[in-house]
Amino acid sequence: MNIKGMSMDQIASEEDGFFLQSMIGRADSLTVNDRTFKKIVFDSGIRNVSIDALLNLQHRINAIAEKQLPQDDAGKQLIEAMTDILPELLSQSPEYVINRLAFTSDKGDINGNASVKYVGNGDYKAFNPFNDIASHAMLSMPKEFLKEIMLSVTRKQISAYLKSSGTEMTEDELAEKCQQTVDNNINGLLQNKFMVADGDNYTTRFAL
């Protein structure tokens, strides 16, 4: 993996008793194996975290550090501190957001966003992710990009199976088998509404 032109900006602020943090990462290019992506942006942030709870937690951590306890004892006290303060941290429905994930491939632009928010009553002992977490995610990519990725993965899987089973297949037969498998998988995703065709793109959305 090779990254060029990488930069990171972080901004932390306080607003109405809440801690807010935003982080924007950028890169001119990212190369993974033989694939290069350009104009990469990752914009994320934290919202609705109580300043008082964070300060209280920091005070407890500092007090534990000053005691210079054995590692096991310090770990136990740290867990106790976090357990005590967790209900206060959760009380204002903290949220982690990815405002924008974007990059460009040779097939076109890929864009996405997501968020995870705590919406429970603060009783972490009765935590249920289906009731206490609200989340969403969206990812849109060129159709040809997805097909190319799926073909590459499928070819590796089928080739590995052929090798392990001692089965032979001509290059044309392998290419046809891979294409059929990818077409069937994409049709299945579309039919089951896991993604939709949107012009030249496939878009998938998830909400909990």
Side-chain angles (χ1 to χ4, degrees):
M1 184 174 70
N2 184 29
I3 302 176
K4 294 182 179 180
M6 184 177 178
S7 65
M8 187 77 69
D9 296 319
Q10 294 191 62
I11 301 174
S13 61
E14 177 185 357
E15 182 177 326
D16 298 327
F18 294 112
F19 171 76
L20 307 173
Q21 184 180 48
S22 64
M23 180 181 71
I24 302 177
R26 295 183 176 88
D28 294 334
S29 67
L30 168 64
T31 300
V32 181
N33 296 328
D34 58 348
R35 195 178 303 276
T36 298
F37 306 102
K38 298 181 179 180
K39 299 179 181 178
I40 301 152
V41 178
F42 183 79
D43 178 358
S44 65
I46 298 172
R47 304 171 180 167
N48 302 337
V49 177
S50 166
I51 285 287
D52 289 341
L54 283 179
L55 291 176
N56 191 5
L57 179 59
Q58 186 61 55
H59 174 74
R60 295 280 294 272
I61 291 173
N62 291 341
I64 294 170
E66 290 174 358
K67 295 178 183 178
Q68 297 183 341
L69 298 170
Q71 185 173 356
D72 289 347
D73 293 339
K76 291 178 182 178
Q77 291 198 14
L78 179 58
I79 292 174
E80 290 177 0
M82 295 182 67
T83 300
D84 290 344
I85 297 167
L86 189 56
E88 186 179 359
L89 283 171
L90 296 176
S91 65
Q92 301 301 322
S93 298
E95 181 179 18
Y96 174 73
V97 297
I98 299 175
N99 297 306
R100 184 185 179 208
L101 168 65
F103 51 92
T104 298
S105 73
D106 58 351
K107 303 299 182 183
D109 296 336
I110 294 92
N111 291 280
N113 58 66
S115 72
V116 179
K117 184 176 184 178
Y118 178 78
V119 294
N121 61 10
D123 183 4
Y124 66 91
K125 294 180 180 179
F127 177 75
N128 182 331
F130 295 102
N131 296 326
D132 297 341
I133 295 293
S135 63
H136 89 271
M138 185 282 294
L139 185 64
S140 180
M141 67 187 72
K143 292 178 180 179
E144 293 305 313
F145 175 80
L146 179 61
K147 291 177 182 178
E148 188 177 89
I149 294 293
M150 292 180 71
L151 275 172
S152 177
V153 172
T154 301
R155 186 181 183 88
K156 290 178 181 178
Q157 292 174 337
I158 294 177
S159 296
Y161 168 77
L162 293 175
K163 183 177 180 179
S164 64
S165 64
T167 305
E168 294 185 359
M169 187 178 287
T170 67
E171 180 61 32
D172 288 344
E173 289 172 337
L174 177 59
E176 182 179 0
K177 179 63 175 178
C178 290
Q179 189 63 60
Q180 289 176 347
T181 302
V182 168
D183 289 344
N184 289 338
N185 288 341
I186 288 177
N187 288 335
L189 291 170
L190 292 170
Q191 290 172 6
N192 289 288
K193 309 299 183 184
F194 288 111
M195 68 181 185
V196 297
D198 183 14
D200 293 332
N201 284 12
Y202 286 126
T203 299
T204 182
R205 289 182 172 84
F206 164 83
L208 175 64

